[in-house]
Amino acid sequence: MKVNISDKDLDELIRTGKNSKYKKYSKDRKFMEGLARVYKVMLNVADTNGLKLYSFLHYEKLANNLNLSSVRVLNGRVERLLFRELEDGIEITIIELNNDHYGNKK
């Protein structure tokens, strides 16, 4: 599946493992391994239905926003990648890393 990352800082974090905006994430080795694994899975599936096969992702379409979906970056953590699915179902645009999922008050 084609993955387009619209946030330049997030793109840099995924590709290089370093970015000043996401500094706290880049220092967390486990998180970075999880992020790389999620990105690799997203590239390798044919469409978003393929994400459902990976239970650790907890793929879901967000109820409050019909055009956004999310996947969990790491089991036991609340950070998620939020993305928009385009109508052809092939391209995903990653919007942001979100750590307030389910009311997390970190």
Side-chain angles (χ1 to χ4, degrees):
M1 174 167 33
K2 183 178 178 187
V3 178
N4 177 29
I5 304 170
S6 57
D7 180 348
K8 287 190 278 184
D9 294 319
L10 183 57
D11 184 45
E12 182 181 356
L13 178 70
I14 290 172
R15 296 187 193 284
T16 67
K18 297 178 182 175
N19 182 272
S20 58
K21 179 179 174 183
Y22 295 109
K23 193 176 211 176
K24 77 173 192 174
Y25 294 116
S26 63
K27 291 181 178 184
D28 186 344
R29 186 178 58 83
K30 265 190 142 174
F31 179 83
M32 291 305 298
E33 289 171 359
L35 184 62
R37 184 177 67 205
V38 168
Y39 184 67
K40 185 177 178 180
V41 167
M42 292 176 97
L43 289 174
N44 289 327
V45 296
D47 56 21
T48 54
N49 287 327
L51 296 174
K52 294 176 185 176
L53 300 175
Y54 298 89
S55 62
F56 66 89
L57 292 177
H58 293 267
Y59 164 75
E60 65 181 345
K61 290 188 181 224
L62 299 182
N64 62 348
N65 194 335
L66 297 177
N67 58 356
L68 284 181
S69 299
S70 75
V71 291
R72 183 183 291 168
V73 175
L74 195 61
N75 275 335
R77 303 264 301 260
V78 295
E79 292 90 359
R80 297 190 172 254
L81 279 176
L82 300 181
F83 56 90
R84 182 170 289 115
E85 298 175 38
L86 299 180
E87 56 200 38
D88 60 7
I90 295 173
E91 185 177 9
I92 293 179
T93 301
I94 298 175
I95 304 296
E96 66 177 315
L97 274 171
N98 185 325
N99 66 359
D100 62 352
H101 195 68
Y102 298 119
N104 182 38
K105 305 293 187 215
K106 278 187 176 178

